[in-house]
Amino acid sequence: MGMIIQGATGDWEVVIGLEIHAQVTSKSKLFSGASAAYGAEPNSQVSFVDAAMPGMLPVINEMAVEQAVRTGLGLNAKINKFSVFDRKNYFYADLPQGYQISQFLQPIVGEGKILIDLKDGETREIGITRLHLEQDAGKSLHDQHPSQTFVDLNRSGVPLMEIVSEPDMRSPEEAAAYVKKIRSIVRYLGTCDGNMEEGSMRADVNVSVRKPGDEFGTRCEMKNINSVRFMQQAIIYEANRQVDILEAGGTVDQETRLYDPDKGETRSMRSKEEAHDYRYFPDPDLLPLEFDDAFIKRISETLPELPDDKKARFIDELGLSAYDAGVLVAEKEVADYFEAVAKGRDAKLAANWVIGELFGNLNRTGKGLSESPVKANALGELIDLIKDGTISNRIAKEVFEEMFDTGKAAADIVEEKGLKQVSDTGAIEAAIDEVIAANPDKVAEYRSGKDKLFGFFMGQVMKATQGKANPGVVTKILKPKLDS
């Protein structure tokens, strides 16, 4: 269901399109050999090409081209065997050349589509307009000096993929699901690390409003949002701002706006440029980019199993619910961990332990999966102890807590604390006899037809054995004694 804003003149529908800038996973920059690594000292990774020194010529990074094609294949998109690099002309202090090398009319990747997963279990298809390669600009640092702006050119020339969607999203939730799906796909492919905090993935968000069924309204673009939560907040604020203007009889100006997360509002940066404002023309220093079917085929043969295919396999082959499968495949790291736990074991039980106990403890301690003290093989060994009857499910949860806190193996904890499940029929029968003898009134009630009291007796026996009695053995011995 899309986001509908109720105004005095009726309902308004929100229309959203996204341009995601994803930094290509590559050791070097798009047109130079300088390092593209994050976090270096300012201006320590700048070649003469990046600094736009006279006479310096760009040379295309083949790895960046392969990564763009790989991403295009992952987006079910058309790969263009002929594409052109263009100069996008504008002035800014952190753009040494006075232009950005990008792709305009002939991008490397054409139309595609992805499925987004919504909370209600539904999926929606979102169209991809294009993916093109371009170089990043440098970074202006406004907080280093009270009256001067510093410029760091380490990022200048870093390879970016700009992934442009169709205006197919109708709510902040759909936009969030789209960003998460793109991030998941590029991480599976290994073409971008998807780290929004470090700026290696960020989004320009286009928002407009219209009466349902009408033509698209005038859109405003909010630049460089690097948080899914901030993006959703920006969409809600901006959509309501536009509705207020239209309801008051005004018109929405097509412009570029900035979202301020501290104030929770958008503010105008500049009027929105059109393509002709940038005076695009083919870069005379770069030949058109051409490759053949064999190049595409070689890359396609190395594609991993992607989230949608993995989700379908988890549902069809492992018997997981659509919800559990969706949670487990969202991040490749989680999917790999789960598969290691589930290998040769009950997949549903493994899923329950990963999603329930593991995620619960990671959230409690603020840790990521890579920091988990309980590795996949260790969790698998705990599940083995449940399945072979060594410990009960209840005891297993206590064991897991200690595994998480200490990093010890499940078998060692069970041995040290004497937590092995009691399956000795003699010991269990003695405990049952004691419970029956201590509760003659409850026995009489049970035998008069109150079958629900069986749970009471089970609980008392488990309590008497400190939770160690094998529930299956207890049931087998207890029921005939109560019924007799």
Side-chain angles (χ1 to χ4, degrees):
M1 179 65 184
M3 177 182 173
I4 298 293
I5 299 173
Q6 293 177 329
T9 62
D11 290 344
W12 295 87
E13 181 183 46
V14 182
V15 177
I16 305 158
L18 295 178
E19 298 165 18
I20 291 178
H21 300 265
Q23 182 176 324
V24 177
T25 297
S26 168
K27 289 180 181 175
S28 56
K29 296 184 178 180
L30 186 55
F31 298 112
S32 83
S35 171
Y38 176 81
E41 285 294 307
N43 296 309
S44 63
Q45 296 177 170
V46 188
S47 75
F48 289 145
V49 173
D50 308 325
M53 293 296 177
M56 295 298 103
L57 295 174
V59 178
I60 188 70
N61 174 350
E62 185 178 356
M63 178 64 174
V65 174
E66 288 192 21
Q67 295 285 57
V69 171
R70 193 173 172 82
T71 305
L73 292 169
L75 299 174
N76 304 299
K78 178 177 181 284
I79 307 300
N80 295 321
K81 289 180 283 185
F82 181 95
S83 62
V84 174
F85 284 102
D86 299 282
R87 290 187 181 180
K88 180 181 181 180
N89 298 275
Y90 65 95
F91 171 78
Y92 208 74
D94 56 23
L95 190 70
Q97 294 156 313
Y99 58 85
Q100 177 190 33
I101 302 177
S102 182
Q103 294 187 302
F104 181 44
L105 293 176
Q106 294 170 289
I108 190 168
V109 175
E111 292 183 352
K113 61 189 176 187
I114 65 166
L115 286 177
I116 60 170
D117 304 297
L118 304 174
K119 275 187 178 175
D120 53 13
E122 289 184 14
T123 57
R124 269 206 69 202
E125 187 175 287
I126 305 295
I128 305 289
T129 307
R130 57 187 276 150
L131 177 156
H132 63 260
L133 278 170
E134 63 185 22
Q135 59 177 175
D136 206 349
K139 188 175 184 180
S140 296
L141 306 171
H142 305 294
D143 57 357
Q144 306 292 305
H145 190 277
S147 61
Q148 296 178 351
T149 292
F150 292 3
V151 174
D152 177 10
L153 294 180
N154 279 352
R155 214 167 67 184
S156 175
V158 164
L160 299 178
M161 299 177 286
E162 181 169 330
I163 303 165
V164 183
S165 83
E166 293 289 325
D168 287 347
M169 288 154 276
R170 297 292 179 267
S171 71
E173 293 74 25
E174 289 183 3
Y178 173 81
V179 171
K180 287 175 182 175
K181 191 58 170 284
I182 293 285
R183 184 170 61 185
S184 178
I185 290 169
V186 295
R187 281 176 168 170
Y188 268 75
L189 291 167
T191 57
C192 172
D193 66 20
N195 191 324
M196 297 186 83
E197 294 75 26
E198 292 180 1
S200 55
M201 188 168 161
R202 51 194 192 267
D204 297 342
V205 186
N206 291 279
V207 175
S208 65
V209 297
R210 65 177 179 180
K211 290 292 178 70
D214 282 2
E215 296 291 313
F216 289 143
T218 302
R219 64 188 168 91
C220 292
E221 180 181 44
M222 291 166 288
K223 299 287 286 185
N224 287 332
I225 298 178
N226 66 346
S227 150
V228 173
R229 183 165 58 88
F230 289 163
M231 179 185 71
Q232 290 180 276
Q233 293 170 358
I235 291 168
I236 292 168
Y237 177 87
E238 180 59 23
N240 280 284
R241 184 190 74 86
Q242 292 182 21
V243 168
D244 289 344
I245 292 171
L246 295 169
E247 290 275 342
T251 55
V252 174
D253 294 327
Q254 183 169 325
E255 60 182 351
T256 299
R257 298 181 69 85
L258 187 70
Y259 178 66
D260 184 338
D262 295 326
K263 294 182 179 177
E265 63 183 28
T266 64
R267 61 174 183 268
S268 181
M269 286 174 67
R270 58 181 182 267
S271 61
K272 174 65 180 165
E273 298 86 356
E274 299 291 351
H276 62 258
D277 293 319
Y278 291 116
R279 305 189 323 282
Y280 280 99
F281 63 87
D283 192 304
D285 293 333
L286 288 160
L287 289 168
L289 192 57
E290 294 185 77
F291 43 78
D292 55 18
D293 289 326
F295 180 79
I296 300 169
K297 185 171 184 288
R298 176 172 63 79
I299 296 169
S300 69
E301 287 171 349
T302 66
L303 293 186
E305 183 181 41
L306 291 170
D308 288 346
D309 294 332
K310 196 178 286 287
K311 180 181 176 182
R313 178 167 63 81
F314 284 2
I315 293 169
D316 296 341
E317 294 182 16
L318 302 183
L320 300 189
S321 68
Y323 173 81
D324 284 355
V327 169
L328 292 168
V329 304
E331 295 290 345
K332 185 176 186 297
E333 184 183 28
V334 173
D336 290 345
Y337 183 101
F338 162 72
E339 290 207 79
V341 174
K343 189 173 184 181
R345 299 185 178 97
D346 181 334
K348 288 183 183 178
L349 186 59
N352 290 341
W353 275 90
V354 171
I355 295 170
E357 300 305 313
L358 178 68
F359 283 6
N361 279 276
L362 290 174
N363 290 336
R364 173 176 64 83
T365 55
K367 290 179 176 174
L369 185 60
S370 60
E371 305 165 283
S372 172
V374 181
K375 302 306 176 191
N377 63 324
L379 179 53
E381 287 166 7
L382 176 66
I383 292 171
D384 291 341
L385 293 177
I386 301 168
K387 292 299 281 186
D388 67 15
T390 303
I391 55 174
S392 66
N393 208 50
R394 189 180 73 78
I395 293 289
K397 291 187 178 182
E398 293 176 25
V399 172
F400 182 83
E401 294 283 342
E402 181 142 348
M403 290 170 68
F404 196 90
D405 292 339
T406 66
K408 287 182 181 177
D412 293 342
I413 295 167
V414 170
E415 196 64 45
E416 284 170 19
K417 298 205 163 187
L419 298 173
K420 280 187 181 175
Q421 192 161 252
V422 177
S423 295
D424 173 7
T425 55
I428 291 173
E429 188 164 8
I432 289 172
D433 289 342
E434 284 178 25
V435 169
I436 288 175
N439 296 280
D441 53 336
K442 291 282 195 286
V443 173
E445 285 182 53
Y446 175 82
R447 289 174 177 167
S448 69
K450 290 195 175 177
D451 293 349
K452 289 183 180 176
L453 280 171
F454 188 80
F456 164 78
F457 289 104
M458 280 291 292
Q460 291 300 304
V461 174
M462 296 307 286
K463 188 175 176 183
T465 60
Q466 297 177 305
K468 296 179 192 173
N470 184 318
V473 177
V474 174
T475 302
K476 196 171 179 181
I477 299 171
L478 176 61
K479 196 154 190 350
K481 283 182 177 284
L482 287 174
D483 289 342
S484 62

